[in-house]
Amino acid sequence: MSNHEIETIDVLKDAASDAIYGTRGAGGVILISTKQGQSGQMKVSFDSYKGIQNITSGVPRMNFEEYMYAYFIWQYHTNGVGMSNTWSPLESNTYGFTNNTDLSTILENDNANIENYSLSISGGKQGLTYSVVTNYFKQEGSLINSGYDRINV
């Protein structure tokens, strides 16, 4: 539901909500009324926006040396084993110590597009009214393959 469809929002947070909704209304009730078509001339409205999502702060990551130190500390406190008895990736392949790859530039999608389009048509005659709202939302996502597309009618 987009903000173009909302007519009113009422919050019931007293005993009146308990009287109508029983125990389900004990924490309060939010009533959302949508817009209705009105007799008269047809109204058409269109709204859109487009933007860019910028990653301002990423998730701090450990480099390989910090990861191995944390791994050895974790193994010591979890299993009580020393550095030469943990079966770590470093003990299996000592050349891995030189592999310090940062994949954040490959996984993150900085300046990802986001766009939204909304079309609303309402009107009617005496005894028959209509209101149709269509919304399209597309978001690329800040990580690869994390996009989101949505169409509402």
Side-chain angles (χ1 to χ4, degrees):
M1 179 181 302
S2 70
N3 58 351
H4 299 289
E5 298 175 68
I6 298 174
E7 182 80 32
T8 61
I9 298 176
D10 297 317
V11 179
L12 305 176
K13 57 181 180 175
D14 55 2
S17 59
D18 278 344
I20 298 172
Y21 298 100
T23 57
R24 291 184 177 184
V29 176
I30 298 175
L31 299 174
I32 300 174
S33 301
T34 57
K35 291 182 180 178
Q36 304 291 318
Q38 297 179 357
S39 297
Q41 194 167 357
M42 181 172 68
K43 295 179 186 175
V44 177
S45 93
F46 179 76
D47 183 39
S48 69
Y49 68 82
K50 189 166 184 162
I52 295 175
Q53 300 173 96
N54 191 340
I55 299 173
T56 57
S57 62
V59 177
R61 296 171 186 84
M62 293 187 280
N63 62 21
F64 188 75
E65 291 86 2
E66 293 167 337
Y67 167 76
M68 289 311 304
Y69 178 74
Y71 181 82
F72 285 131
I73 297 296
W74 173 70
Q75 284 292 328
Y76 177 75
H77 288 291
T78 304
N79 302 326
V81 295
M83 290 181 97
S84 62
N85 197 15
T86 58
W87 297 94
S88 71
L90 183 59
E91 292 168 339
S92 302
N93 182 10
T94 56
Y95 296 107
F97 208 103
T98 60
N99 187 7
N100 198 8
T101 305
D102 182 15
L103 297 177
S104 63
T105 58
I106 297 169
L107 298 176
E108 292 177 348
N109 184 13
D110 201 12
N111 298 326
N113 289 326
I114 182 170
E115 52 193 279
N116 187 48
Y117 304 99
S118 180
L119 176 66
S120 173
I121 302 171
S122 65
K125 293 190 212 178
Q126 189 176 21
L128 174 67
T129 60
Y130 59 89
S131 176
V132 179
V133 178
T134 303
N135 182 272
Y136 173 69
F137 178 80
K138 181 179 181 181
Q139 180 180 22
E140 281 185 10
S142 297
L143 295 174
I144 61 169
N145 296 329
S146 68
Y148 180 69
D149 288 330
R150 178 187 66 212
I151 297 175
N152 293 345
V153 178

